[in-house]
Amino acid sequence: MTLATSFLGLQLQSPLLIASGPASHDVNQVALAEEQHIGAIVLKTVCSDKYDHMRYWPRPRYKLLDWDKQISGRSKYFTLYSYEQGYSGTLLDYWDFIRACKDHATVPIVGSIFADIADDWKELALKVQESGADAVELDISSPHRPGSLDFETTFVAAIDAVVKALRIPVLVKLGAGPDVIHQCKAAERCGASAVTLCNRIRGFDVDIETQQPILHGYYAGVGGPWAKYYTFRHVAEAAQSIKIPISATGGATSAEDIIKYVLLGASTVQILSVIMVNGWESIAQIHADLAAYMQRKGIHSLEEIRGKALKTMILPEDIVRWSGEPKTGARNVWKPVDDHGHS
Ligand SMILES: Cc1cc2nc3c(=O)[nH]c(=O)nc-3n(C[C@H](O)[C@H](O)[C@H](O)COP(=O)(O)O)c2cc1C
């Protein structure tokens, strides 16, 4: 039995990846991640110099909402509200950061970038490659990104330019919403190696005592275990719409969540909030529980069950309304789209 998985041509010891964020913002964090036998580490996103203001965060920048440790012990019920933007150092610091990670870490390192015009994306991506990263993730879906940037006019050109310029794999990180499958297909057409689904969404909260917005007074990124349900759906849809692999992210706090993502077609799962809320040791627990599940189910590798749950999805018109049962002769929604483990 093995947790090892191959992804983007890289041999990973685990399908669990550290998602871009504060747990991958400096070499000390990266060392802690590596101790957990993680599959790969996606570094905190660096922004082009045009977005220099995104390097300076208001403090405090996080607030934990809806959290009741009394009920849940290791909390599985929370909302993480945050206004942390890009990597806090300069671009030069970031290239050094990648080099330092590559000097010390044995797991693959994925650089993460954000820019606007295609030339800037390409320039940053090339520097990520030159600094030794094993792959690059394009964070085109940050909840803090300027609203003026449009997928069709800005990001398609950016993905295209980066893919053409690089020899390392390119992941495209997309946000949830009605356009996500269209965007997955566009990323695939541009030659992206994988998509990461789905980034956090932009949310908002107010305090009824002060009658003011909480924290820094503006919209914030929100996520939590509840977010997995819409990402499960997007991953399931994407697995039936594109051939390139999917790295799932959003609300995974347990082995159960990781298994669900795999059953719905994901190749890897990126986690962050569970580490911030419950600590690095969450990863050891997830790994142990994954191994126990695989043993109980007689599974040698998670690749054996990738996309399995999709095969029993049923078309809505074939569901008997009063019982929820499939009609006789019901047609499966499932249609294999590829040869990398979904069929
Ligand atoms: C505080 C915080 C900072 C984040 N920063 C980034 C970032 O810089 N780039 C990025 O692509 N995603 C960022 N994310 C999103 C995470 O990478 C991840 O995709 C998301 O939180 C969903 O996973 P989770 O529910 O396990 O946290 C951030 C998330 C949080 C909570």
Side-chain angles (χ1 to χ4, degrees), residues 30 45 60 78 310 315:
V30 167
T45 303
F78 60 84
L310 301 173
L315 285 172

Side-chain angles (χ1 to χ4, degrees), residues 19-20 22 44-45 62 139 173 199-200 249-251 271-273:
S20 176
K44 176 74 190 169
T45 303
Y62 310 133
D139 176 15
K173 187 168 184 177
N199 212 328
R200 283 152 53 94
T249 184
I271 57 168
L272 173 58
S273 299

